Amino acid sequence: MEKKFLGQRIKRNEDPRILTGRAKYMADITYHNMLHAAFLRSDYPHAKLNSVDISAALEIPGVIAVYTAEDLGDLWHPGPVLVPAPHSIPGIKANSRTQIPIVKDIIHHQGEVIAMVVAENRYIAEDALAVIIVDSDPLPAVENIEDALKPDSPLVHEELGTNLATYVRQERGNFAEIKTKADYVLQQRFVMDRGGAGAMENRGFCANWEEDSQQLTIHCNTQSPSGLRNSMAAWFGIPEQRVRVVVPFVGGAFGPKVMTNQPEEVLCTFASIKLNRPIKWLEDRSENFIGTTAERMQVHDCEITFNKDGKVLGIRDSFLYDTGAFNPYTATIPLNTQTHTTGLYNIPVFLTEFTSVFTNKMIVSPVRGAGRTYGVFVMERMLDMVARQLDQDPTYIREINLIPADAKFPLETGIIAQDFAQFVLDSGNYPAVLKKAKDMIGYDDFKKNIQPKLRAEGKFIGIGLVLFTENTGVGPYEGAKITVGNSGKVFASSIYGTQGQGHFTVFAQIVADQIGCRVEDVIVETGDTDKFAWGTGTFASRGATVLGNAYHHTAKLVRAKILATASRLFNVPEDELELGDGVVRIADVPEKFIKMGDLATKANPMRGTIKPGTEPGLEATGFYAPPYGATAYGAAAAILEVDPISFNIKFHKFVFVDDCGTVINPMILDGQLHGGIQMGIGNSYFEKLVYDENAQLLNGSLMDYLIPRATDMPSKMEIGHLNTPSPLNPLGIKGVGESGTIPIPPLYCQAIEDAFNLPGLFISEVPLSPSVVYQLVENAKSKKQGELL
Amino acid sequence: MSDLMDIKVTVNGTVYQRSVEPRMLLSDFIRFEIGLGGTHVGCEHGVCGTCTILFDGQPQRSCITFAVQADGHSIETVESLGTPEKMNPLQEAFQEKHGAQCGFCTPGILMTMKAFLKENPHPTEEEIREGIDGNLCRCTGYQNIIESVKLASEKMSHSGSK
């Protein structure tokens, strides 16, 4: 395999446009006759809608149209299930309710769309929203997931007769049996809440229906261009080939932008067809907090059984999950929780069951980490319980329970994952990652020499070390088309969403290695369904793994065509040719070469003949489909100090070790981890969507919902790597996009507990905050000596 | 809405005369009246810093400033820095140190740092961290932004540029 660029720290192709303000995002999309949409959204989380009076809105100059549910006619119906339930798991219960584009009778969550205004500009459209009169009667709201399953609870979907959305039980071994054989059984309840994605760019959508050409062009910052094209084609009865989705530069996504069939998408397309004009909508930050998607709370009831020597025999985890008012994504998040709980540990028996619950809240979608975080949280916390029970060091308990380095990979876990395939650990060296993290953080030295001194000085300083896995790069597939052009530039198109991960560079590196050109001569395009039609989307840290291997495979096909064409041209065998520097040359005969662009011209002659049975041009299309996900893993470790007055946290040292197999670009890899860690810090100490008992969001702005700022971060995130190539794909890549986020909450808990060193301080709920930690510490101080939990 | 107001605003050295509604935001004026799309809008609450421009040389949130408040004043946007073919030292440093990922917050950070480095040409890492604390970035964890600004300060002191 040619590897000139793979693994190199190469500057990004996209940066000159991004850094000069020339990159075009959704807000920059414009047509001369474009109209602007704004949406009236429900203030109530649960209500009966009686009537909507739009007459005053229609009087405002510049208002073109106002639409309510009745205007949609037959186009008003619930959207499709985006991800089906894992029906192959025995005993599954699945109730599906997908969202509707605009409220007709019952309001199911705050932020649901009640009316749409189309106007000459956004200012006028919002003026019109203010004079629409909504008559509705509030209904009791379902807010708390534990209460939601009680017989007297109000119901989100009355006709279902229950708030249960999905129930899945999976068991490896027999937990009831192992429980009777263990020296210890500990129980604990855990609560973990996760918040919004908080991409700096909100959602945006522009539909342009052209009646004369019967063509629909959509611009959208979606993570799934093909999914969006297919869904709009189906909804409006247009052939996919007449629906073009174009994704401009995207200002971050992190999960919610993977959702398709969103109300605004359906309504803007509807209005564009109705008015035969382009309609654009840009979500504002307030809408983003109530009208898009986020992650949400899980409540876990756990048991861990173990012996005196610290070896864990089995775990039971029964948890509830808040899925919001509708569940188009069904069970991806809780399945991720199930698959990531026992992670890289050798836990012979594992019983995991979840009940996802409808509530009157915004819909849940994956957000970076996507369910894995909860599983890692409960596992790591339970190992800390074992360590405390046996008075052992937490890293020792981890060490003796890790899957050993000489294990016979691939290891089947028996647990079905989000791709409905069994979660398989494909490769790795787990003890090595623990050792590397311990060495980098200076664990033993800190515990033995440094911490006692600092404690004696009255400092609240602690250390933590946690481990995790990340199942990445799941199917079904991705594909690419690569063309060597007459200019010598290589055009490499696919249909994927790209939101800052450096795709324009990393895929160019992979392609350039095969074609023998410069990285900057490969033009990667990931966002236009007319350039390439086949693909699934950006989720599950699958870009580098799945699309990267598709690009690699396709570039090899083009390379073969280059060699065959040049071989005929020079009349020499292919193995005497070499590719590099944008030319094909005869090895050892430096003067005999042809530029790649000239070869492309010869491969596609305008007159004469080409060899029968061959294809014109230097172009190929190829696909890659993994059998199941490739599993990355790693460790996070920190030394942190808690200020005893403010309870703010200062990191003295922060270490992250990751094994994502083959590295394409180490600079971009570390950047992915930095950003992931930042979101993990948010999930641990800053970010929480706070709902009142009526399911009303109380902190819907960036003023109140805290995204970590520069001064909230460690002064240095030290990143270490192991590189165990995945045997699953030719490049040996495992994904990394979500790794940074996943293990941070239990790291905070362990290190904060260590900082205070109070027997009664055990943290079982996240996110934390200064006031929460203050209260936990005060409570712990008042507990009796020896009272552990 | 009528009652348009005539304003004269200097943007990146060029004087623009326009009639605008008093409620038009400066960010919308820059983007849609002048046609400079590099100034992005992230929250419209003045919190995230994405829309930061220089207003008479000082960093300011253009999303909570009205266009009419800029009458007679001078605005600098990201387009006043380098071009894709010839980036300025600050932009070059952001490319070398991978200080931008999705790039949405980047123009606001670049403009904030332009003013910061002018006042503080040899900053410590801690000073840079404080300096960008008013700008949210969701992709980078800020570490590479700080390294980019540090490198930019070195580049600028070597080249003697201001």
Side-chain angles (χ1 to χ4, degrees):
Chain A
M1 191 199 306
E2 295 289 326
K3 274 193 185 178
K4 188 174 174 189
F5 301 116
L6 196 77
Q8 300 300 311
R9 188 186 194 283
I10 288 172
K11 288 192 284 190
R12 301 202 316 172
N13 282 346
E14 53 268 55
D15 277 349
R17 278 178 294 163
I18 279 179
L19 292 167
T20 56
R22 269 64 166 184
K24 298 298 177 206
Y25 296 79
M26 267 315 294
D28 301 307
I29 303 304
T30 191
Y31 294 92
H32 75 279
N33 58 340
M34 189 167 77
L35 297 171
H36 297 261
F39 296 98
L40 183 69
R41 296 173 185 278
S42 172
D43 294 327
Y44 289 124
H46 198 193
K48 181 173 186 316
L49 181 65
N50 299 319
S51 64
V52 185
D53 181 354
I54 61 171
S55 53
L58 287 167
E59 298 293 312
I60 293 178
V63 171
I64 306 297
V66 182
Y67 298 116
T68 59
E70 63 188 25
D71 293 304
L72 266 72
D74 292 344
L75 292 170
W76 190 95
H77 56 77
V81 173
L82 300 178
V83 180
H87 287 292
S88 63
I89 300 175
I92 181 175
K93 293 180 208 163
N95 289 320
S96 173
R97 283 295 178 273
T98 56
Q99 77 215 88
I100 39 88
I102 188 164
V103 176
K104 193 177 247 176
D105 44 12
I106 300 292
I107 293 161
H108 290 92
H109 68 88
Q110 179 194 11
E112 232 182 336
V113 174
I114 294 175
M116 174 194 202
V117 173
V118 180
E120 295 288 352
N121 66 46
R122 179 65 174 258
Y123 290 76
I124 295 171
E126 293 196 18
D127 288 344
L129 295 185
V131 297
I132 295 173
I133 298 166
V134 176
D135 176 15
S136 59
D137 294 321
L139 297 166
V142 180
E143 193 277 325
N144 179 295
I145 46 176
E146 291 172 280
D147 293 343
L149 295 174
K150 292 176 181 165
D152 59 345
S153 171
L155 296 172
V156 178
H157 301 286
E158 196 69 43
E159 74 287 359
L160 272 180
T162 176
N163 288 317
L164 183 148
T166 318
Y167 171 78
V168 171
R169 182 183 191 278
Q170 304 198 61
E171 187 167 22
R172 175 169 76 227
N174 184 326
F175 185 77
E177 192 184 307
I178 200 78
K179 204 175 148 178
T180 63
K181 294 178 178 163
D183 294 340
Y184 295 94
V185 180
L186 295 179
Q187 294 190 351
Q188 181 63 41
R189 171 191 155 97
F190 295 100
V191 179
M192 177 180 221
D193 204 353
R194 294 197 73 217
M200 296 321 298
E201 183 197 37
N202 294 311
R203 290 186 296 147
F205 191 88
C206 181
N208 181 26
W209 170 252
E210 293 165 287
E211 177 74 35
D212 292 348
S213 55
Q214 296 284 296
Q215 169 77 35
L216 176 65
T217 303
I218 290 169
H219 285 82
C220 179
N221 47 16
T222 177
Q223 290 172 237
S224 181
S226 52
L228 177 59
R229 174 201 56 203
N230 299 349
S231 62
M232 290 301 101
W235 202 298
F236 293 96
I238 306 167
E240 288 92 285
Q241 293 75 6
R242 287 275 170 82
V243 181
R244 180 185 182 192
V245 171
V246 182
V247 183
F249 274 92
V250 180
F254 312 114
K257 286 174 181 165
V258 80
M259 306 298 280
T260 57
N261 299 276
Q262 293 294 289
E264 302 84 359
E265 298 170 356
V266 175
L267 293 170
C268 286
T269 305
F270 164 77
S272 180
I273 293 172
K274 191 106 174 153
L275 300 170
N276 195 25
R277 287 179 71 173
I279 311 285
K280 184 161 86 169
W281 166 69
L282 294 177
E283 184 183 55
D284 71 23
R285 187 57 66 180
S286 301
E287 292 182 286
N288 185 263
F289 273 101
I290 58 169
T292 178
T293 57
E295 265 195 48
R296 201 66 54 68
M297 181 179 284
Q298 291 188 3
V299 177
H300 290 249
D301 166 29
C302 294
E303 282 182 285
I304 184 164
T305 68
F306 55 100
N307 280 341
K308 280 182 289 213
D309 61 2
K311 291 279 257 191
V312 178
L313 303 179
I315 282 171
R316 178 185 64 79
D317 180 11
S318 308
F319 63 97
L320 299 176
Y321 183 53
D322 182 344
T323 195
F326 301 99
N327 62 340
Y329 230 78
T330 311
T332 294
I333 294 165
L335 282 172
N336 265 348
T337 305
Q338 293 191 312
T339 43
H340 288 77
T341 305
T342 58
L344 35 60
Y345 298 107
N346 181 20
I347 311 291
V349 175
F350 178 41
L351 166 57
T352 174
E353 58 180 343
F354 72 80
T355 304
S356 79
V357 180
F358 288 117
T359 60
N360 289 114
K361 294 181 201 160
M362 189 166 80
I363 300 170
V364 158
S365 75
V367 171
R368 193 178 205 168
R372 303 172 182 90
T373 316
Y374 309 82
V376 170
F377 177 68
V378 298
M379 182 73 217
E380 292 296 315
R381 289 277 65 203
M382 282 192 280
L383 289 174
D384 291 337
M385 288 165 59
V386 174
R388 290 166 72 143
Q389 181 72 43
L390 300 175
D391 197 21
Q392 290 282 0
D393 187 273
T395 61
Y396 170 76
I397 294 299
R398 283 163 174 79
E399 189 183 335
I400 62 169
N401 283 294
L402 279 176
I403 292 166
D406 61 358
K408 295 273 179 289
F409 288 98
L411 297 168
E412 298 186 345
T413 66
I415 304 295
I416 299 297
Q418 60 153 310
D419 56 353
F420 315 132
Q422 187 184 175
F423 180 40
V424 176
L425 298 165
D426 58 280
S427 59
N429 185 341
Y430 305 142
V433 86
L434 171 62
K435 182 174 185 307
K436 187 163 178 115
K438 272 187 87 166
D439 289 348
M440 283 177 69
I441 199 77
Y443 193 91
D444 294 333
D445 183 45
F446 176 81
K447 278 279 185 193
K448 198 172 153 202
N449 303 316
I450 300 172
Q451 189 177 38
K453 277 187 210 153
L454 293 170
R455 274 189 178 151
E457 291 170 20
K459 291 201 186 299
F460 297 96
I461 187 161
I463 192 166
L465 193 157
V466 295
L467 299 152
F468 72 96
T469 53
E470 186 196 353
N471 182 225
T472 75
V474 298
Y477 75 93
E478 290 299 333
K481 182 165 83 176
I482 299 174
T483 311
V484 180
N486 297 290
S487 64
K489 298 276 185 194
V490 179
F491 200 83
S493 57
S494 57
I495 246 330
Y496 204 67
T498 184
Q499 307 95 19
Q501 302 94 327
H503 291 156
F504 301 103
T505 309
V506 292
F507 297 141
Q509 288 175 251
I510 289 169
V511 172
D513 267 345
Q514 294 305 321
I515 307 289
C517 61
R518 300 184 307 168
V519 173
E520 53 267 45
D521 287 335
V522 180
I523 298 158
V524 171
E525 172 121 45
T526 64
D528 184 342
T529 59
D530 270 12
K531 302 266 170 64
F532 191 72
W534 299 97
T536 55
T538 311
F539 55 91
S541 303
R542 61 196 293 283
T545 311
V546 186
L547 184 52
N549 277 287
Y551 269 122
H552 174 67
H553 169 66
T554 309
K556 283 171 70 166
L557 298 177
V558 176
R559 180 185 177 89
K561 283 192 176 179
I562 291 169
L563 288 170
T565 308
S567 166
R568 285 195 294 274
L569 181 72
F570 289 131
N571 199 22
V572 296
E574 289 182 20
D575 59 11
E576 290 180 21
L577 296 170
E578 59 183 30
L579 277 58
D581 307 319
V583 304
V584 188
R585 67 171 72 85
I586 301 172
D588 307 326
V589 192
E591 67 278 11
K592 285 286 277 185
F593 70 89
I594 182 166
K595 287 183 186 166
M596 213 66 85
D598 295 339
L599 189 69
T601 306
K602 289 195 183 298
N604 182 26
M606 293 294 106
R607 295 291 184 276
T609 58
I610 63 169
K611 188 183 173 192
T614 64
E615 293 169 0
L618 302 178
E619 179 175 286
T621 296
F623 294 87
Y624 171 73
Y628 46 80
T631 300
Y633 62 96
I639 295 169
L640 60 77
E641 183 178 355
V642 186
D643 182 298
I645 305 297
S646 70
F647 281 73
N648 282 331
I649 282 172
K650 183 185 171 196
F651 288 96
H652 287 239
K653 200 168 171 68
F654 191 100
V655 163
F656 201 97
V657 184
D658 185 84
D659 185 347
C660 60
T662 303
V663 176
I664 306 171
N665 184 323
M667 175 184 83
I668 289 173
L669 167 59
D670 286 0
Q672 287 291 301
L673 289 170
H674 292 165
I677 291 164
Q678 180 191 4
M679 194 177 279
I681 286 174
N683 293 157
S684 305
Y685 219 65
F686 297 93
E687 298 181 38
K688 184 178 170 69
L689 292 166
V690 181
Y691 292 88
D692 72 6
E693 67 277 14
N694 299 313
Q696 189 88 31
L697 182 67
L698 301 180
N699 60 338
S701 88
L702 290 177
M703 201 93 77
D704 303 310
Y705 181 86
L706 305 178
I707 286 175
R709 294 176 175 276
T711 50
D712 299 322
M713 294 293 294
S715 59
K716 175 116 183 125
M717 291 173 269
E718 294 175 39
I719 310 286
H721 299 287
L722 297 177
N723 301 106
T724 314
S726 173
L728 289 178
N729 60 75
L731 290 175
I733 297 171
K734 307 166 190 180
V736 73
E738 298 165 86
S739 284
T741 303
I742 294 168
I744 309 302
L747 177 67
Y748 263 75
C749 297
Q750 195 190 88
I752 289 171
E753 287 166 11
D754 188 50
F756 286 99
N757 197 27
L758 291 164
L761 178 64
F762 181 78
I763 301 170
S764 59
E765 294 195 18
V766 284
L768 300 163
S769 67
S771 57
V772 167
V773 175
Y774 166 78
Q775 201 57 56
L776 289 171
V777 168
E778 288 301 304
N779 293 349
K781 283 180 188 164
S782 65
K783 280 186 190 169
K784 292 192 197 85
Q785 197 69 23
E787 200 180 350
L788 177 64
L789 301 174
Chain B
M1 298 286 279
S2 55
D3 301 325
L4 298 181
M5 291 177 72
D6 294 331
I7 59 171
K8 194 195 274 188
V9 185
T10 304
V11 181
N12 299 337
T14 304
V15 180
Y16 294 89
Q17 281 184 291
R18 292 286 190 278
S19 295
V20 300
E21 284 189 28
R23 65 174 175 173
M24 174 173 266
L25 300 175
L26 180 57
S27 51
D28 284 343
F29 177 82
I30 293 166
R31 294 185 52 80
F32 304 121
E33 288 290 324
I34 308 301
L36 294 173
T39 301
H40 302 154
V41 176
C43 74
E44 292 178 282
H45 296 150
V47 186
C48 73
T50 297
C51 67
T52 305
I53 45 91
L54 299 187
F55 191 104
D56 294 336
Q58 290 301 311
Q60 186 159 319
R61 310 297 210 226
S62 62
C63 79
I64 50 168
T65 307
F66 291 115
V68 294
Q69 291 175 284
D71 185 25
H73 293 275
S74 170
I75 305 296
E76 290 165 69
T77 72
V78 68
E79 287 88 352
S80 70
L81 308 178
T83 63
E85 294 71 35
K86 188 166 173 35
M87 293 191 287
N88 82 359
L90 182 60
Q91 291 164 317
E92 282 174 0
F94 268 71
Q95 185 179 28
E96 282 175 44
K97 291 291 183 184
H98 191 26
Q101 288 189 28
C102 81
F104 200 75
C105 73
T106 309
I109 288 184
L110 291 172
M111 298 315 289
T112 306
M113 286 298 101
K114 183 185 174 181
F116 171 82
L117 286 172
K118 194 173 175 190
E119 285 196 6
N120 195 346
H122 306 289
T124 65
E125 279 191 22
E126 271 319 292
E127 288 167 342
I128 300 169
R129 192 174 287 279
E130 291 283 344
I132 61 160
D133 206 39
N135 293 68
L136 290 179
C137 169
R138 192 60 152 169
C139 295
T140 64
Y142 307 100
Q143 184 157 313
N144 286 349
I145 294 177
I146 290 163
E147 292 196 9
S148 301
V149 176
K150 188 114 183 77
L151 177 63
S153 73
E154 287 158 17
K155 278 175 179 272
M156 288 157 79
S157 63
H158 281 300
S159 69
S161 72
K162 294 285 181 310

